[in-house]
Amino acid sequence: MTPLVSIVIPTRNRPHYLSLCLGMLKSETDNKVKICVIDDGSGEAERNLNKNICAELGVSYVRCSKNRGMAVARNIGIRHSNGNWVLFLDDDVEVKKGWYKVLKKHLKSAPDDVIGFEGKVTGTGQGLWDREVENLCGGQFLTCHIAYRKDMLMKIGCFDETFEYLGPFCEDHEIAVRALREGNIIFLPDLKADHMARNVVLIRMLMNSRKRMRGIVRAEKYFFSKHPGEYKNFRNAVNFKGTYISFLVRHTLNCMRRRRFSDFLRKPGQTIMLLFISVFEQICAWTLLPEVLLNKSVQDVPQKGKPDWSK
């Protein structure tokens, strides 16, 4: 008999988060649930810690020899899953008590036209970055806490592996576009998980700013090129041009207004850091203008699309 669900967790260089994530998950699930951790190119020390954590908890561990990104890692997880449903978690997400009981109830009673369930994600911690990843009301389709029917994933070709070359941006929304063509994705406010506090290092953020912004721009361009009709359902702009213009003229403002004014008063040091980084990212967006005008944002990216299951 095919198990009800498998759980896929990509990870990279974060054994502390992974340990907390798996510890709570194992206390919630039974031995029939296969949990598969995909180590997406961690360093040697972190890789050994990840492997030991999985061995101690009886969790399946699959190692990628190099960092290939979330889309590829999740596809590898799908390949190793054995359930009718595949639930994706990020390694910095911690499920709440009673989580598996709620999940099992909804998966078992799901109508045929329901192909996915979004779980609630609440940001924790006291930093200005700690609530950037939240899904409190649904419609976010975040792969940090979402379940899909496996047969539907196979039908639509799973995650688009072109995102291996575009950074960890847009792949969750891109697959949601294709999934919604097959049925409904329901938000479950009673399926609760916390996004653990984020560890942000200023110098690392600054050093990666241009690379990060370039990845975002290229991913957004690719996302729009694949789904021009549905793009506006996932963004505040009707097309890629509108999104890119917002990076050029409103990026800093958008970053700041996502936070509460009271948080700025409580965290003046982090406020200065956030302002500095967001301004620098906006400058980086301007430096990418020649690429965008020459339409090179996507053309020089290898097009992989569907995963090659023969590997």
Side-chain angles (χ1 to χ4, degrees), residues 75 78 152-160 174-175 178 307 309:
N75 279 346
I78 295 170
M152 183 278 301
L153 290 171
M154 302 304 292
K155 178 181 178 181
I156 67 173
C158 300
F159 288 87
D160 185 340
E174 193 283 324
I175 197 172
R178 290 179 284 128
W309 298 108

Side-chain angles (χ1 to χ4, degrees), residues 11-281:
T11 191
R12 183 170 185 261
N13 289 334
R14 301 201 294 194
H16 174 67
Y17 281 129
L18 182 65
S19 178
L20 295 172
C21 172
L22 291 179
M24 190 61 187
L25 197 57
K26 286 297 289 185
S27 72
E28 281 291 304
T29 57
D30 55 43
N31 292 327
K32 296 179 182 178
V33 178
K34 182 176 183 180
I35 302 172
C36 188
V37 169
I38 311 299
D39 192 327
D40 188 22
S42 292
E44 183 177 0
E46 292 82 3
R47 182 173 69 242
N48 290 333
L49 285 171
N50 291 340
K51 191 173 182 179
N52 290 337
I53 291 166
C54 291
E56 290 173 7
L57 294 173
V59 170
S60 175
Y61 173 86
V62 179
R63 171 181 169 255
C64 299
S65 58
K66 64 176 182 177
N67 176 226
R68 301 190 62 193
M70 297 292 248
V72 175
R74 291 192 181 107
N75 279 346
I76 293 171
I78 295 170
R79 187 190 315 177
H80 284 84
S81 67
N82 62 357
N84 288 321
W85 292 80
V86 181
L87 185 133
F88 299 100
L89 278 180
D90 280 359
D91 60 0
D92 55 359
V93 170
E94 193 172 30
V95 301
K96 303 289 281 185
K97 189 172 179 60
W99 176 86
Y100 184 57
K101 183 178 180 180
V102 173
L103 176 67
K104 191 161 53 171
K105 177 187 73 173
H106 286 290
L107 295 187
K108 285 184 174 180
S109 61
D112 292 341
D113 66 335
V114 172
I115 50 81
F117 288 106
E118 290 181 88
K120 184 176 181 178
V121 181
T122 303
T124 60
Q126 301 300 316
L128 294 183
W129 282 271
D130 289 336
R131 285 169 177 78
E132 283 195 337
V133 182
E134 276 194 326
N135 189 5
L136 302 180
C137 302
Q140 300 296 314
F141 310 109
L142 302 179
T143 37
C144 66
H145 190 203
I146 198 167
Y148 284 121
R149 291 188 188 271
K150 184 174 180 179
D151 58 357
M152 183 278 301
L153 290 171
M154 302 304 292
K155 178 181 178 181
I156 67 173
C158 300
F159 288 87
D160 185 340
E161 295 196 353
T162 300
F163 287 101
E164 175 182 353
Y165 304 99
L166 298 172
F169 314 107
C170 301
E171 79 280 351
D172 45 4
H173 289 159
E174 193 283 324
I175 197 172
V177 170
R178 290 179 284 128
L180 285 166
R181 295 170 184 165
E182 305 298 322
N184 300 315
I185 300 174
I186 307 299
F187 177 65
L188 302 178
D190 54 345
L191 187 68
K192 300 176 182 179
D194 286 340
H195 195 281
M196 291 179 255
R198 306 189 77 180
N199 181 25
V200 177
V201 181
L202 174 60
I203 187 64
R204 188 184 304 161
M205 289 280 287
L206 287 174
M207 289 177 63
N208 291 331
S209 288
R210 192 174 190 277
K211 180 181 179 182
R212 184 170 57 253
M213 182 55 71
R214 189 169 188 250
I216 293 172
V217 169
R218 297 170 109 198
E220 289 288 347
K221 179 64 185 272
Y222 181 62
F223 181 27
F224 174 69
S225 71
K226 284 196 73 176
H227 309 293
E230 289 108 330
Y231 183 82
K232 62 181 179 294
N233 299 329
F234 294 81
R235 297 293 182 268
N236 293 322
V238 297
N239 53 32
F240 165 73
K241 180 180 178 181
T243 296
Y244 181 63
I245 289 174
S246 74
F247 293 153
L248 297 179
V249 300
R250 293 196 308 272
H251 179 69
T252 301
L253 177 62
N254 290 339
C255 286
M256 302 304 285
R257 70 182 181 186
R258 288 205 307 266
R259 280 80 175 176
R260 296 176 301 182
F261 184 72
S262 59
D263 292 333
F264 295 141
L265 295 179
R266 287 189 301 104
K267 299 286 183 179
Q270 289 192 21
T271 298
I272 294 171
M273 184 191 306
L274 173 64
L275 183 62
F276 189 71
I277 290 174
S278 58
V279 168
F280 191 69
E281 286 183 339

